[in-house]
Each structure stands twice: as C-alpha cells, then as structure tokens.
Amino acid sequence: MFLQSNLVKWWDKFLKSFDLENSSTVASILWALWNSINSLVWDGKHATVDEVLYSAKSIFIQWKGSKLVKANACHSPVGFLKCDFDASLLQSQNTTGFGIIIHDSNGKFVVVKNGVLHCSMNPTLVEALSCREALTWLKELDIDNVLVEMNCLGLHLAITNSSFDATSHGVIIQDCLDLLSNFDNNNFCFARGSANQLAHLLAQVIGFQIG
C-alpha cells in the first residue's frame, strides 16, 4: 500500500511537471503501450513501434477533439434519412467487416448493407473506409437528404473541421469529402458508440457469413 501511494504521488508530480498538451501526449503514449501489451498477452498480436505511436496519436487526437464536439443522439429532420455505419475488427478471420443502416426520421429501417474491408486492422483507418463505403452506397441509391451518424471522433473532426490534421488517413478523408460534394443536403453528427450499435452488430455478422 505504501509503495502504491508513493507511485501515485510520483505519477501526479511527474504529470504536473508538463503543461496540459505534453502531459496529455505522455498519457496517450502510455495508454497505447498498455493496449499493445494487452493485445500481445490476450491475442498474441505484436505491435510495431510505428503502430503504437500511431495509436497514441489517434488517442490524443480524439481526446483533444472531445473538447470541441459534444456527443448527442442525432435526430434527423423531417424528410431526412439517417445513415449509421460502423466497423468491426474480425480477429479470427484476420479481416474487418462494416455495417450500414439507413432509416427514416421515425427510426423505421429502410435498407441495410454489410461487407468486408480489405485493409490493415487499424481502428481509425477502418472507420474512415466504412464512411467511404456508406457515402458511396448513398450515392448509388440516389439518396440526398441524409444525416450521417458516426462514433469515431477523430474521423468526425477530420471530415467536418478543415483545420484538423488528418494526414494519417488524408487520402480516404479526401475521398469522403469528394463524395459529399455530390449531395445537396447532408449533415454529420457525432454520437457515442451505443447510438449505432446495430450497425456494429451488422459489421460483426459478416464474420459468420464468410466464416
């Protein structure tokens, strides 16, 4: 107990020696390291230094962005459809699934779609690719008045904030912005993961379809 108390005091003093920006960076790196250790112990997955640093950057970006964006359940205006999408890392198949659900302003399902993404299993990357899949599908269906709901804060900021640094997946973000230019009426909303859990389940189902 004494050792634990001293460790907490040391950690508190250590973080206070930095400004908010740098202490947040240190915390993000440590959290990414902790996640990589858990992945190694429980999943046997070895993370490279670059992967850990990329994960730390994503964690820091989402923390920083959380001060700019308020997460709420997104209510689509009358006459608008709402599109929820999400991705799921399918470890057993070593691939990634995506799910898209379109419903009306009353919550009634209109149409759904799921599929496989052929890419590295990076959470932020697969969310961006899922967004591109959703926008491409909306364009194919000729759906215009639509509210797009997502639960990845970094992706939301990259699409809606022109000053946001999206260099880590800039090409995909640009594809999304190009697709958006084809819509007359659209809006993006950030919501907590529970808001689009059905899209996440739909992404997971693809694992059974290909398994």
Side-chain angles (χ1 to χ4, degrees):
M1 182 66 70
F2 177 75
L3 180 61
Q4 183 181 12
S5 176
N6 280 345
L7 181 61
V8 170
K9 290 179 180 178
W10 171 84
W11 176 245
D12 183 61
K13 184 177 180 180
F14 174 72
L15 284 182
K16 287 180 178 177
S17 66
F18 298 103
D19 59 22
L20 180 61
E21 186 91 356
N22 288 324
S23 62
S24 301
T25 300
V26 171
S28 298
I29 293 172
L30 291 175
W31 186 252
L33 284 170
W34 176 257
N35 286 336
S36 69
I37 292 171
N38 283 340
S39 293
L40 177 62
V41 172
W42 299 108
D43 302 321
K45 182 181 178 182
H46 296 261
T48 65
V49 173
D50 287 342
E51 288 173 335
V52 173
L53 290 177
Y54 182 88
S55 175
K57 182 179 180 180
S58 297
I59 292 168
F60 178 76
I61 286 172
Q62 296 204 36
W63 169 81
K64 196 171 183 180
S66 66
K67 298 187 293 182
L68 303 174
V69 178
K70 180 178 286 189
N72 294 305
C74 305
H75 301 288
S76 54
V78 176
F80 270 61
L81 295 177
K82 185 161 79 167
C83 175
D84 293 314
F85 69 88
D86 205 359
S88 177
L89 302 178
L90 308 172
Q91 299 284 356
S92 58
Q93 285 92 359
N94 196 31
T95 189
T96 303
F98 70 87
I100 309 170
I101 298 177
I102 299 174
H103 45 93
D104 63 20
S105 56
N106 295 317
K108 183 179 179 180
F109 291 112
V110 176
V111 65
V112 302
K113 179 181 181 179
N114 64 356
V116 174
L117 295 171
H118 300 286
C119 63
S120 62
M121 299 180 71
N122 178 284
T124 307
L125 174 63
V126 299
E127 288 285 352
L129 288 170
S130 297
C131 181
R132 187 172 67 179
E133 289 286 342
L135 293 174
T136 299
W137 192 41
L138 288 169
K139 182 181 176 182
E140 291 172 354
L141 295 174
D142 199 26
I143 293 176
D144 194 15
N145 297 333
V146 61
L147 175 68
V148 180
E149 184 177 70
M150 64 185 68
N151 65 352
C152 179
L153 181 56
L155 177 61
H156 179 273
L157 289 170
I159 290 176
T160 60
N161 191 334
S162 59
S163 63
F164 188 76
D165 179 15
T167 54
S168 57
H169 41 272
V171 174
I172 302 169
I173 297 301
Q174 189 57 52
D175 285 346
C176 292
L177 293 173
D178 290 342
L179 285 164
L180 281 171
S181 66
N182 296 303
F183 295 88
D184 291 331
N185 295 298
N186 66 80
N187 198 3
F188 276 85
C189 177
F190 169 65
R192 298 298 182 193
S194 59
N196 65 349
Q197 58 184 342
L198 290 179
H200 186 75
L201 290 173
L202 191 61
Q204 290 180 317
V205 167
I206 197 67
F208 297 99
Q209 295 173 337
I210 65 176

